[in-house]
Amino acid sequence: MDVLAGLLEGPRARGAFMIRACFEPPWSVRIADEAPLSVMIMVRGNAWIVPEDGAAPQLIRPGDVAIARGPDHYTCADDPATRPLAEIQPGERCVPLGGAPFGQYKDLGLRAWGQSLDSPVEMLIGTYQARGEITGRLLDALPPLLVLPTDVWDCPLTPLLADEIAKDEPGQDVVLDRLLDLLMIASLRAWFSRPEAAAPAWYKAMGDPVVGQAIRLLQDDPAHPWTIAALAAKAGVSRAALARRFTELVGEPPMAYLTGWRLALAADLLRDGEQTIAAIARRVGYGSAFALSSAFKRVYGVSPQEHRSRAA
């Protein structure tokens, strides 16, 4: 399993918020929905994304892709100086701001919102609604805002997403969820290939012939009773060489990485709520529900059952 695809495999989009946003200048919307991850593709016109953490505003043009990591708030506008006329709150609730009339931005039909469908500004927005623990490893490696301009990466999925977002056919929500996942994976691969991306250690380590193979082995079969000796034999190196190189490139020893991966998998499976704790324990490499509970509480500070209840 590719490590990036693996990190996105568990918490796949489920009923993701997908919309076409259409605006006429001057326009400005503050995003305070605290969603873990949102993707924006500019279809026509320009937009400024203004972070609230003091970072410089970034301009996105037609074809550009922007990814915003929550729960940080930010503003999308025609100009950084335009004051927000509405705020998007958790649950995708739109609230007017600063005396703006109610209905300034309104429902425009199937997955469309804003002022009018023929507005000079249109962007496609896809938002993940929940943060899974596996995704957390990836989110922690991302900046609050990243932009992929078309001169760096021409997104091949934009035409397909623009076409599918306007359809109302059986299973359409699932189609859009999967398209959002594909878009996210493709965008992040393009981003991590950039020199300014500061890709996380585990991602860069995938290019190492020894450590990359070891990571894939651990991720492909986390339930296997791995030892350093068994992993080193599969990778074709000595135990000492594997331990030293893995720790050097990834930042933690192989068994510590495996523990983190197993518990992250367990956390996401618990969030789904479809399997018993004992079944999850077996699936991620623990001999019993008690063994999983002990390890889980040591790392996360709560029991698996408490984690499941909070996620629900």
Side-chain angles (χ1 to χ4, degrees), residues 54-71:
Q58 295 203 45
L59 177 66
I60 55 175
R61 300 179 175 90
D64 292 356
V65 176
I67 297 177
R69 186 199 68 198

Side-chain angles (χ1 to χ4, degrees), residues 19-42:
I19 202 165
R20 286 187 297 157
C22 307
F23 303 109
E24 299 176 4
W27 63 275
S28 181
V29 179
R30 182 174 185 262
I31 310 301
D33 61 358
E34 302 188 357
L37 205 61
S38 294
V39 187
M40 294 159 276
I41 305 176
M42 211 66 208

Side-chain angles (χ1 to χ4, degrees), residues 95-106:
V95 177
L97 294 177
F102 189 83
Q104 169 87 4
Y105 304 128
K106 56 186 181 296

Side-chain angles (χ1 to χ4, degrees), residues 35-141:
L37 205 61
S38 294
V39 187
M40 294 159 276
I41 305 176
M42 211 66 208
V43 176
R44 61 178 182 266
N46 298 330
W48 285 91
I49 302 179
V50 185
E52 293 189 3
D53 61 0
Q58 295 203 45
L59 177 66
I60 55 175
R61 300 179 175 90
D64 292 356
V65 176
I67 297 177
R69 186 199 68 198
D72 296 356
H73 301 169
Y74 55 94
T75 296
C76 291
D78 67 307
D79 187 280
T82 304
R83 62 176 178 80
L85 301 174
E87 180 178 271
I88 305 300
Q89 299 180 348
E92 310 307 334
R93 191 166 70 97
C94 179
V95 177
L97 294 177
F102 189 83
Q104 169 87 4
Y105 304 128
K106 56 186 181 296
D107 184 359
L108 300 175
L110 180 65
R111 301 188 194 92
W113 175 83
Q115 290 164 288
S116 68
L117 292 177
D118 58 355
S119 294
V121 175
E122 179 183 344
M123 59 197 310
L124 307 179
I125 303 170
T127 300
Y128 285 80
Q129 300 292 295
R131 176 182 174 121
E133 291 300 332
I134 301 175
T135 312
R137 286 192 170 207
L138 183 61
L139 294 179
D140 292 343

Side-chain angles (χ1 to χ4, degrees), residues 143-177:
L145 175 67
L146 65 90
V147 174
L148 287 164
T150 52
D151 59 351
V152 168
W153 182 62
D154 186 12
C155 178
L157 295 168
T158 300
L160 181 58
L161 185 60
D163 181 56
E164 292 291 339
I165 203 170
K167 291 183 179 179
D168 186 18
E169 298 182 3
Q172 194 63 22
D173 287 345
V174 176
V175 170
L176 291 172
D177 282 350

